[in-house]
Amino acid sequence: MLTITVKLLIWSSFISIYLVNKTTLAQPADFIAYACENASNYTRNSTYERNLDSALSALPSTNSGFGFFNFSAGQGNDIVNSVALCRGDVNSTECRSCLNDSMIKIRSSCPNKKEATGYYDSCLLYYSNQTILQQTGFKFGRILFNTQNTSDVNQFNSVLRPLLADLRTKAAAGGPQRKFATANNATGPGFSTIYGLVQCIPNLSESECNDCLEDSIKEIPNYMNGKVGGRFLLPRCNYRYEIYRFFNESAGIISPSPPPPPVLQPSPPVQLPSSPPGTTVYMFL
């Protein structure tokens, strides 16, 4: 997959992070994409930082049973709202591991930021002093696409559009605990099968989920037209399509997670390893 954005960001060096008891953690893999709110910072040892520590520490214990996590700490200007969502087809072990890695990586990827989102392939993590339900448009959006082009753009799109439209409708109608749908019954150019996946955070209403997915799917002609694979990542919703199977068709319910890990010690401002050669990142702010 190739990551695209308005600004090309290149990073260097590696980071490490410690638990409060000074036990060194293994460095998790890089996010496939992440976004930091550059306008809002918090200071070290501030009330906001303490609330962020509390919110992220408690977050793993709030599993809905379907891989959705939601916790808030503090109040007023220092409130921290945290949300995590595991992809609907991953098992509980992968979900917990992805969330734990996200909580480490987000603090080093966006040091001292009051609002940030990190995307792994199996989960996303978002925290903010705003509620995620107030986030509209493409703020923190990321687009990734396969560099391979289809042999027949019109035919490919004529199959892709109804596939994603059907998945959007099914996911939006999924109820308050799980808004997730997959399918692989569409045939594109050269008799290739197109696989699709869509998901919303489950506390969106049916209309909010539908609108989020519809607005982002409309961007395919602008950024992914003719590409045989692509994905659009937002804190509220996401979708992906490929010409190969990338999801687990026998996905089950994600069981509740174990007690939360120790509070993470805030990491100092550092830089991340550089992106793979030829990779660019499109940022929607």
Side-chain angles (χ1 to χ4, degrees):
M1 297 290 293
L2 177 67
T3 315
I4 54 174
T5 182
V6 175
K7 300 178 183 177
L8 176 63
L9 304 179
I10 301 179
W11 303 277
S12 63
S13 86
F14 290 92
I15 61 173
S16 62
I17 193 168
Y18 300 87
L19 291 175
V20 171
N21 64 6
K22 306 302 183 183
T23 301
T24 304
L25 295 176
Q27 176 63 43
D30 288 343
F31 287 128
I32 59 172
Y34 68 89
C36 313
E37 173 54 74
N38 294 324
S40 302
N41 294 338
Y42 64 83
T43 58
R44 296 294 299 274
N45 300 317
S46 63
T47 300
Y48 189 89
E49 183 181 58
R50 291 192 293 272
N51 290 338
L52 179 58
D53 292 339
S54 298
L56 295 185
S57 294
L59 189 62
S61 66
T62 66
N63 192 348
S64 66
F66 293 85
F68 176 61
F69 308 78
N70 188 9
F71 190 82
S72 298
Q75 56 187 351
N77 294 331
D78 291 316
I79 192 171
V80 176
N81 300 300
S82 61
V83 171
L85 180 66
C86 287
R87 210 174 70 190
D89 61 328
V90 303
N91 61 41
S92 58
T93 300
E94 184 178 357
C95 179
R96 288 195 300 269
S97 177
C98 190
L99 177 56
N100 289 337
D101 285 352
S102 296
M103 292 190 298
I104 298 170
K105 200 70 175 180
I106 198 67
R107 301 293 289 273
S108 56
S109 300
C110 300
N112 303 323
K113 299 301 181 182
K114 285 190 173 182
E115 192 171 14
T117 305
Y119 300 100
Y120 278 118
D121 189 54
S122 298
C123 70
L124 69 87
L125 171 65
Y126 169 84
Y127 73 83
S128 175
N129 57 346
Q130 308 294 322
T131 173
I132 192 171
L133 297 179
Q134 294 176 344
Q135 300 296 342
T136 58
F138 296 151
K139 186 176 183 181
F140 296 140
R142 293 293 183 269
I143 294 176
L144 302 91
F145 63 79
N146 192 310
T147 57
Q148 181 182 348
N149 292 312
T150 179
S151 59
D152 189 328
V153 176
N154 291 332
Q155 183 184 352
F156 191 87
N157 288 341
S158 70
V159 175
L160 177 62
R161 281 193 295 267
L163 171 64
L164 293 180
D166 181 60
L167 291 176
R168 183 193 75 218
T169 300
K170 291 179 179 178
Q177 290 188 310
R178 193 169 188 253
K179 287 182 167 61
F180 174 78
T182 61
N184 63 341
N185 57 353
T187 302
F191 302 100
S192 61
T193 299
I194 303 176
Y195 299 82
L197 177 154
V198 304
Q199 187 169 20
C200 293
I201 60 169
N203 58 352
L204 292 182
S205 67
E206 181 174 352
S207 62
E208 287 171 332
C209 176
N210 184 80
D211 290 347
C212 184
L213 289 169
E214 183 176 28
D215 289 345
S216 55
I217 290 171
K218 286 179 179 178
E219 295 300 319
I220 288 178
N222 296 327
Y223 297 99
M224 294 172 274
N225 198 37
K227 303 300 181 183
V228 298
R231 66 173 81 177
F232 202 122
L233 302 169
L234 290 168
R236 291 159 57 92
C237 69
N238 65 84
Y239 68 84
R240 182 180 181 183
Y241 69 91
E242 303 285 355
I243 56 172
Y244 59 87
R245 182 179 291 108
F246 60 91
F247 52 80
N248 178 11
E249 292 184 305
S250 59
I253 295 175
I254 300 174
S255 60
S257 53
V263 177
L264 297 177
Q265 182 180 12
S267 60
V270 289
Q271 292 180 311
L272 294 178
S274 59
S275 300
T279 298
T280 56
V281 182
Y282 272 113
M283 303 172 66
F284 295 97
L285 296 175

